[in-house]
Amino acid sequence: MEQFRNVGIIGRLGSAQVLDTIRRLKNFLIARQLHVILEDSIAEVLPGHGLQTSSRKLLGEICDLVIVVGGDGSLLGAARVLAQHKVPVLGINRGSLGFLTDIRPDELELKVGAVLDGEYLSETRFLLSAEVRRHNEAIGQGDALNDVVLHPGKSTRMIEFELYIDGQFVCSQKADGLIVATPTGSTAYALSAGGPIMHPKLDAIVIVPMYPHTLSSRPIVVDGNSELKVVVSKDLQIYPLVSCDGQNHFTCAPGDTITISKKPQKLSLIHPLDHNFYEACRTKLGWGSRLGVHD
């Protein structure tokens, strides 16, 4: 198993609970004689920490492990930067759902200690890359671990667009928008819009129309290596938005083309040994537990 010596800490700003957990984590890692590096923004709100600080990008280059303290949104933001550096990422949950950040604060020392001892599960999650082109010129680009969403922004009008998969025309559609999600993102916004839950190990992309004009329009699951092209109708009266993980946004004009495909660099995500995707679904999504008749 890999030995973690240089450990970076990223945290969500604006939360006293996150800062409390970061202080505990920092003290725990120092007690284990590890080299701890704080992300710049967190270091600013921890006066007197006495530790090395770094930009998020540089953390990916110099760390053997990066621990994110916050919710899934915090990990999504970190993942988009850290994936290209192949540094493993571990999440401590200070948010609500916690599909990606799966260590509870009260078990910090026990679970993080086990990971540092080499007792962990490691998996890769792929990201999507989205590019908006206008008159064959790139005007916007973004990455997403969860989803790329075409939506009307503040407008209440429907969007009309054409969908192509690997160069083949699929359909033209009127809808409130379109969600293109990874397996990681299948339990997020895509699920709310009626998409299927996909196991994280699947190499697949799900395309979920949002409130489509036709009742027969349904989500489509395609191969993870597919190239998707969404062409915004030239006759559209509004300027829709493209959002990556709900955090990065850029504006489209009528006639623009959005190309979405798998990003070559993957995120390395670490879990405690007792992590179980189906157990996470049960607890986070309120699925029924055992009836007590089976061992």
Side-chain angles (χ1 to χ4, degrees):
M1 285 288 186
E2 191 173 352
Q3 183 68 36
F4 304 122
R5 295 295 311 160
N6 301 303
V7 182
I9 300 177
I10 292 174
R12 189 178 82 231
L13 292 172
S15 166
Q17 290 180 323
V18 166
L19 289 180
D20 287 344
T21 301
I22 287 175
R23 288 189 189 95
R24 258 179 70 193
L25 175 63
K26 170 180 70 78
N27 294 336
F28 175 68
L29 294 174
I30 290 170
R32 292 195 53 135
Q33 299 183 316
L34 298 175
H35 181 212
V36 180
I37 306 150
L38 295 179
E39 186 193 12
D40 289 342
S41 57
I42 279 294
E44 289 175 9
V45 291
L46 285 175
H49 58 78
L51 297 172
Q52 180 181 346
T53 66
S54 161
S55 67
R56 184 169 292 193
K57 183 182 177 188
L58 197 58
L59 276 181
E61 297 177 13
I62 62 179
C63 291
D64 309 312
L65 172 69
V66 173
I67 301 176
V68 178
V69 182
D72 286 346
S74 303
L75 198 139
L76 289 172
R80 291 194 301 272
V81 177
L82 299 175
Q84 61 190 0
H85 302 292
K86 300 181 181 176
V87 59
V89 178
L90 177 69
I92 296 176
N93 186 26
R94 267 303 188 180
S96 49
L97 269 182
F99 261 103
L100 299 170
T101 49
D102 48 10
I103 293 179
R104 298 197 315 267
D106 63 316
E107 55 187 13
L108 184 156
E109 289 84 0
L110 178 67
K111 292 290 179 74
V112 175
V115 168
L116 296 173
D117 291 336
E119 299 172 9
Y120 59 86
L121 303 170
S122 180
E123 63 178 5
T124 56
R125 302 282 184 99
F126 73 82
L127 292 83
L128 295 173
S129 181
E131 183 183 68
V132 177
R133 298 185 78 84
R134 183 173 302 156
H135 307 307
N136 226 17
E137 189 176 319
I139 60 151
Q141 192 278 332
D143 299 330
L145 178 61
N146 263 358
D147 46 44
V148 176
V149 181
L150 173 69
H151 60 99
K154 293 180 180 178
S155 172
T156 56
R157 293 192 181 187
M158 279 189 158
I159 304 170
E160 190 167 5
F161 54 87
E162 290 182 342
L163 172 64
Y164 296 81
I165 300 174
D166 291 329
Q168 295 186 333
F169 174 67
V170 178
C171 63
S172 61
Q173 195 163 57
K174 281 186 179 178
D176 280 5
L178 189 72
I179 303 169
V180 178
T182 64
T184 302
S186 70
T187 51
Y189 194 19
L191 184 63
S192 303
I197 292 172
M198 299 196 293
H199 193 280
K201 287 184 179 177
L202 280 175
D203 186 4
I205 296 169
V206 64
I207 305 161
V208 186
M210 299 163 60
Y211 296 101
H213 196 56
T214 54
L215 292 175
S216 58
S217 183
R218 289 290 181 267
I220 307 173
V221 178
V222 298
D223 184 86
N225 295 308
S226 303
E227 183 185 75
L228 279 56
K229 205 165 274 188
V230 181
V231 182
V232 180
S233 170
K234 289 180 178 158
D235 301 324
L236 207 61
Q237 300 295 308
I238 62 168
Y239 281 63
L241 295 180
V242 171
S243 298
C244 295
D245 287 341
Q247 296 174 346
N248 290 351
H249 315 278
F250 28 91
T251 305
C252 291
D256 283 359
T257 297
I258 306 129
T259 303
I260 304 165
S261 59
K262 183 194 289 182
K263 191 175 169 66
Q265 299 89 353
K266 293 181 171 63
L267 172 70
S268 176
L269 192 59
I270 282 183
H271 302 285
L273 280 180
D274 61 357
H275 172 75
N276 180 311
F277 174 70
Y278 303 111
E279 193 269 338
C281 288
R282 275 197 309 277
T283 55
K284 314 297 182 190
L285 302 178
W287 290 1
S289 54
R290 290 190 184 193
L291 298 175
V293 293
H294 301 291
D295 290 327

